[in-house]
């Protein structure tokens, strides 16, 4: 059978207990949902008559249930407009892509509509969601992948067209919907993937008219007003940018568009300098464009209690106390395999300890996003 991503999703099925854990509800509530929604879940004995008839939930089933919960108004709305999140730190390997992916998946499991945008040519987030960035059609069919597995455009495609249409040079924008991926089915999170051509975006910025730092921000504003064919950001509750580890217009634009900047900090490293650089970048942006006021949130990653560096890092982070997430992500051998398996840990091992840590962090993000939404409109949003 042809697959749409490299994740061996047919092999990933959940029993009732794991399915309930993924959705953050009790097994009883899940049984009630199945009854009320009339959703059919396949039984194990369908393929093998000798096995017991337990339900086996697919990944797509889980996200369908999550969205059904939202339709039933069992999911607390955070804000009437999407919360934009940039996961950023100018330091490699701190856990940006991992955090963007696990957070995006977890928010979707809780019933929120999520758009993830890969801003890194390395395409780690794209791979975590099941795609090989530079795959050709021939290679795809060799791997039994259908054309959904092919990347046909990136955020560079979207922004380049947008900038050209704004400058009056370009023709009308093409439909963005065709390049958006849905790795876990139509009810799961959406992804604007990355490939080699994402690199063109930096170049395109140099031709941009107007304020080059606010291109993403303006794009989102126009998108919410229905002026970007195939992309209406107001259909999403969260937009999550995975930023590259280098200094770039893309990262700056993501920060300028963001309500929340999440900075993952490796607790087993020397990363405080990167943090102070990020803070001055945020402050500089806010000075130049007063409507830009993202809140900074620091997420300690690679946490371990028995490394001396960790306690020194903890001391240094006290300077950023008010921005520090109360929950941390432990160092875990389970993460490095997620890329190879083309599947986030949350979906691979729903009951693993680090997944629980990302769940707690997700709940913290939700609480902060809720507070941001209640701030006076003049701070968070400009008049449309
Ligand atoms: N908490 C963790 N414990 C152990 N390994 C982790 C943890 N978080 C992420 N990793 C692993 O560390 C590596 C780097 O993580 P990731 O790609 O998320 O970082 P990044 O900041 O996005 O890197 P880059 O700067 O290259 O984009 C990956 O192999 C990932 O699986
Ligand atoms: Mg990354």
């Amino acid at each position: 059978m042809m697959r749409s991503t490299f994740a061996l999703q047919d092999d990933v099925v959940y029993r009732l207990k794991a399915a309930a854990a993924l959705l953050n509800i009790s097994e009883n509530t899940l049984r009630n949902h199945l009854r009320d929604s009339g959703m059919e879940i396949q039984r194990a004995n369908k393929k093998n008559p000798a096995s017991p008839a337990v339900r086996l939930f697919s990944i797509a089933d889980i996200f369908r249930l999550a969205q059904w919960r939202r339709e039933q108004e069992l999911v607390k709305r955070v804000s009437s407009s999407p919360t934009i999140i940039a996961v950023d730190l100018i330091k490699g390997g701190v856990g940006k892509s991992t955090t963007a992916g696990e957070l995006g998946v977890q928010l979707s499991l809780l019933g929120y509509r999520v758009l993830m945008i890969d801003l890194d040519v390395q395409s780690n987030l794209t791979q975590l969601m099941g795609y090989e960035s530079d795959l050709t059609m021939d290679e795809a069919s060799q791997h039994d992948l259908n054309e959904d597995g092919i990347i046909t455009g990136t955020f560079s495609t979207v922004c380049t067209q947008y900038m050209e249409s704004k400058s009056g040079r370009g023709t009308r924008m093409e439909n963005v919907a065709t390049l958006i991926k849905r790795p876990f089915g139509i009810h799961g999170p959406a992804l604007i993937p990355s490939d080699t051509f994402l690199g063109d975006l930096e170049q395109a910025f140099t031709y941009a008219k107007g304020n080059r730092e606010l291109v993403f921000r303006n794009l989102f504003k126009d998108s919410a007003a229905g002026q970007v064919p195939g992309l209406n950001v107001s259909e999403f509750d969260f937009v999550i940018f995975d930023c590259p580890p280098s200094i770039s217009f893309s990262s700056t634009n993501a920060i300028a568009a963001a309500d929340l900047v999440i900075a993952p900090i490796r607790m087993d490293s020397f990363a405080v300098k990167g943090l102070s650089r990020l803070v001055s970048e945020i402050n500089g942006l806010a000075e130049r464009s007063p409507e830009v006021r993202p809140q900074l949130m620091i997420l300690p990653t690679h946490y371990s209690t028995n490394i001396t560096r960790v306690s020194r890092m903890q001391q240094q982070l006290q300077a950023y106390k008010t921005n520090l997430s109360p929950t941390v992500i432990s160092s875990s051998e389970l993460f490095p395999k997620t890329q190879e398996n083309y599947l986030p840990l949350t979906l691979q091992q729903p009951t693993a300890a680090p997944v629980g840590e990302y769940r707690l962090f997700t709940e913290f993000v939700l609480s902060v996003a809720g507070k941001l939404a209640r701030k006076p409109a003049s701070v968070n949003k400009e008049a449309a």
Side-chain angles (χ1 to χ4, degrees):
M1 203 178 83
M2 296 282 261
R3 295 178 282 140
S4 55
T5 77
F6 276 97
L8 294 171
Q9 291 195 28
D10 292 347
D11 301 347
V12 182
V13 285
Y14 311 101
R15 296 199 173 199
L16 193 81
K17 190 177 175 190
L22 280 166
L23 294 163
N24 207 28
I25 57 180
S26 71
E27 292 173 46
N28 246 335
T29 302
L30 178 51
R31 281 193 202 95
N32 291 340
H33 283 357
L34 290 174
R35 189 197 56 214
D36 298 344
S37 68
M39 242 180 92
E40 292 288 338
I41 305 296
Q42 68 153 327
R43 302 269 178 174
N45 60 354
K46 236 181 138 187
K47 279 183 195 154
N48 176 5
S51 57
V54 293
R55 288 191 188 89
L56 296 180
F57 295 77
S58 68
I59 293 180
D61 289 338
I62 301 289
F63 284 110
R64 210 170 122 212
L65 276 159
Q67 278 304 308
W68 181 82
R69 281 176 56 75
R70 181 202 167 95
E71 280 153 25
Q72 302 303 303
E73 297 182 0
L74 297 168
V75 175
K76 200 173 142 225
R77 291 298 290 272
V78 168
S79 166
S80 52
S81 56
T83 301
I84 316 290
I85 298 177
V87 185
D88 190 25
L89 192 78
I90 305 177
K91 190 157 173 84
V94 293
K96 293 184 290 294
S97 303
T98 303
T99 298
E102 302 293 340
L103 176 66
V105 163
Q106 294 232 6
L107 286 168
S108 309
L109 288 169
L110 296 179
Y112 297 99
R113 296 195 179 134
V114 177
L115 171 65
M116 293 180 259
I117 302 179
D118 193 341
L119 286 183
D120 188 354
V121 279
Q122 293 181 98
S123 309
N124 290 335
L125 177 63
T126 297
Q127 184 170 345
L128 190 61
M129 293 302 143
Y131 302 90
E132 266 304 330
S133 58
D134 295 320
L135 197 74
T136 63
M137 200 64 219
D138 269 357
E139 291 164 331
S141 49
Q142 281 166 29
H143 286 93
D144 285 330
L145 288 191
N146 59 34
E147 60 189 21
D148 287 345
I150 306 269
I151 289 162
T152 56
T154 68
F155 203 52
S156 173
T157 323
V158 181
C159 293
T160 308
Q161 285 189 33
Y162 174 73
M163 287 189 270
E164 281 178 0
S165 75
K166 281 278 142 180
S167 74
R169 264 185 294 136
T171 44
R172 274 180 44 113
M173 287 188 74
E174 274 170 55
N175 194 327
V176 173
T178 57
L179 61 86
I180 297 180
K181 299 294 181 192
R182 293 274 181 175
F184 311 115
I186 52 166
H187 301 288
L191 169 74
I192 298 185
S194 145
D195 68 12
T196 305
F197 293 107
L198 182 70
D200 298 344
L201 182 54
E202 288 300 306
Q203 182 99 55
F205 275 121
T206 59
Y207 300 121
K209 272 195 182 167
N211 191 333
R212 285 175 203 167
E213 295 175 335
L214 303 184
V215 174
F216 291 4
R217 197 181 175 88
N218 292 332
L219 173 91
F220 282 180
K221 218 192 291 165
D222 286 351
S223 157
Q227 288 166 17
V228 178
L231 178 68
N232 189 338
V233 287
S234 56
E235 284 167 10
F236 295 98
D237 302 303
F238 290 92
V239 177
I240 303 176
F241 285 108
D242 180 26
C243 295
S246 50
I247 297 168
S248 60
F249 276 123
S250 307
S251 302
T252 305
N253 264 274
I255 296 173
D259 302 297
L260 193 61
V261 175
I262 297 176
I265 292 284
R266 270 186 83 129
M267 294 304 279
D268 60 354
S269 74
F270 301 83
V272 177
K273 261 191 197 166
L275 202 52
S276 61
R277 198 193 173 283
L278 180 61
V279 170
S280 48
E281 179 159 27
I282 293 174
N283 291 342
L285 273 165
E287 256 166 49
R288 293 190 292 277
S289 313
E291 71 269 34
V292 173
R293 277 177 178 272
Q295 174 149 339
L296 174 67
M297 181 189 287
I298 298 163
L299 173 65
T301 62
H302 291 79
Y303 185 85
S304 154
T305 46
N306 54 18
I307 299 178
T308 47
R309 275 184 190 171
V310 170
S311 66
R312 197 198 49 228
M313 277 291 283
Q314 266 171 328
Q315 268 172 16
Q316 294 187 348
L317 286 177
Q318 281 310 300
Y320 299 92
K321 217 173 31 220
T322 53
N323 300 96
L324 205 53
S325 157
T327 67
V328 301
I329 310 298
S330 299
S331 184
S332 166
E333 302 276 296
L334 297 173
F335 285 111
K337 279 181 234 134
T338 58
Q339 292 249 347
E340 284 165 48
N341 294 336
Y342 299 92
L343 199 62
L345 190 61
T346 298
L347 295 174
Q348 213 174 287
Q349 294 189 42
T351 52
V355 172
E357 293 174 344
Y358 267 114
R359 173 59 52 87
L360 289 176
F361 176 64
T362 301
E363 281 163 9
F364 178 63
V365 169
L366 279 169
S367 74
V368 171
K371 280 183 210 141
L372 289 175
R374 283 193 296 278
K375 271 196 199 166
S378 61
V379 176
N380 274 308
K381 267 179 282 172
E382 304 154 88

